[in-house]
Amino acid sequence: MEHQGLKSNFMIFIIAMIAAISGFLFGYDEGIIAGSLHLVVSHFDMTKPQIGIMTSALPFGALVGSMLIGALLASQVLRWISRRWSLMIAAALFFLGAIFAALSPTGIALSLSRFIIGLAIGVAAVTTPLYIAEISPARWRGALVSMYQLAITIGILCAYITNYILVKYNNWQIMFASASIPAFCLIIAIFFLPESPRWLISIGKKPYAKKALTRLRGIKEVDNELDKIEKNVLDENNNPCFPSIRSRKLLPPLTLCVLLFCFQQLSGINVVIYYTPIIFQSLGFKEVSNQILATIGIGALNVCSTILSLFLVDKFGRRNLLLIGFLGTLISLISLSVLNSISIKYTDFLSVTFLTLYIFSFAISLGPIPYILISELFPLKVRHAGMSIASASNWIFNGLIVLTFPLMLHNLGLSIVLSCYAFISLLGLMYTFVYVPETKNFSLEEIEEHILSTKPLRALGRH
Ligand code: BGC
């Protein structure tokens, strides 16, 4: 019995890892542009507006992709699109996008390819956490969904390393084409993934759901869990008053998820991810190779801290980690802002220290936790719709911060820009303290019951 349990734990872990390859591709495609931009710009002789269109094609595509997949999955007619097939759509788009980008004959073709990659990211960012949450047992759900974020950070790190290796060959085509390898692996691996038992029950295929759950849990006695899932689905389907995603009842989880992504993005993480070499340059790293190496260091720290969060999130809780994370980003951003405006002896050393604290604080909490909460807080029937709106907000704020940073830097200076991001962290800290519930150790069905009751969302899991 214990042996079977271990086997099933291992199985779930592998399945979550395969699904999370889409997160790897998300991070890889996000990171690869940092090292290839100057090559692409000179190859196609791009003007400033063309560069803007090419870089923003990816977040714009992701925004469209996340809205589109939400609408598709939510429509009653297309309910039959399974979680696995949604993942397959994302994987195919990742593959095609990578090949088209590498073969692009013009700047416009490259922008279109990056739009396709963006669509893939948008679809994957909704589907993967949804699928992982639906197949995971409650006690591990946080850690398993965090694997998606871990995969994003590994993707970013690998992209930085690829940039470092390939930049001397001036070959941007290989940089883009390299993303097709993990995309192809994902396409193949999806054929071996089990379907989500919750989705199977929702389309009335209980025997298949039982098969999938038996495979996932590694034991034959899954009837109890299956009955609970079925009851939950039937209650939803037979209840003509079941709230739609626009109803007041679902406003608290929707607001919470949208705001968490707003805080995640507006506290400046992607300014660090996209502009790390420039930041290191301003911190006194003169050699380009040293700037790229330091950037790889930041990527590695991001990965290691995210691994730590996998161990903490189900023990320490989502809310506690978020409080620590926001406090950490607040302290580090204020310190960096002050250090940037004064001149003391150890400015460089202190700046690197606080940049490290910033990445650490983000990676143990603000990075993974919004993805966990969006996969937990919406009832099954409206889960895809809720997740897709939350995920779209991620891309709106992501685009906003990346587009406004150069302008703000030019007009206000780095110290004030960092103070603005610090202010957002402060708002995040206060918001978490008052409104964020604790979902660790609750099953998705228990969370749903609480959300549909008259109790306030923030009371869940808090004494
Ligand atoms: C964010 C990305 C960010 C990444 C950095 C994710 O949680 O959504 O925008 O680039 O973390 O690790």
Side-chain angles (χ1 to χ4, degrees), residues 30 149 152-153 156 264-265 269-270 273 302 362 367 371 394 398:
E30 226 186 17
Q149 171 69 14
I152 298 179
T153 60
I156 294 174
Q264 183 202 63
Q265 292 298 321
I269 183 63
N270 284 316
I273 298 291
N302 197 8
F362 176 89
Y371 289 107
N394 181 356
N398 180 317

Side-chain angles (χ1 to χ4, degrees), residues 11 15 18 84 131 187-195 215:
M11 172 90 165
I15 293 170
I18 293 175
R84 272 171 72 225
Y131 174 73
I187 292 177
I188 301 296
I190 289 172
F191 287 105
F192 300 96
L193 292 180
E195 196 40 86
R215 196 174 149 207

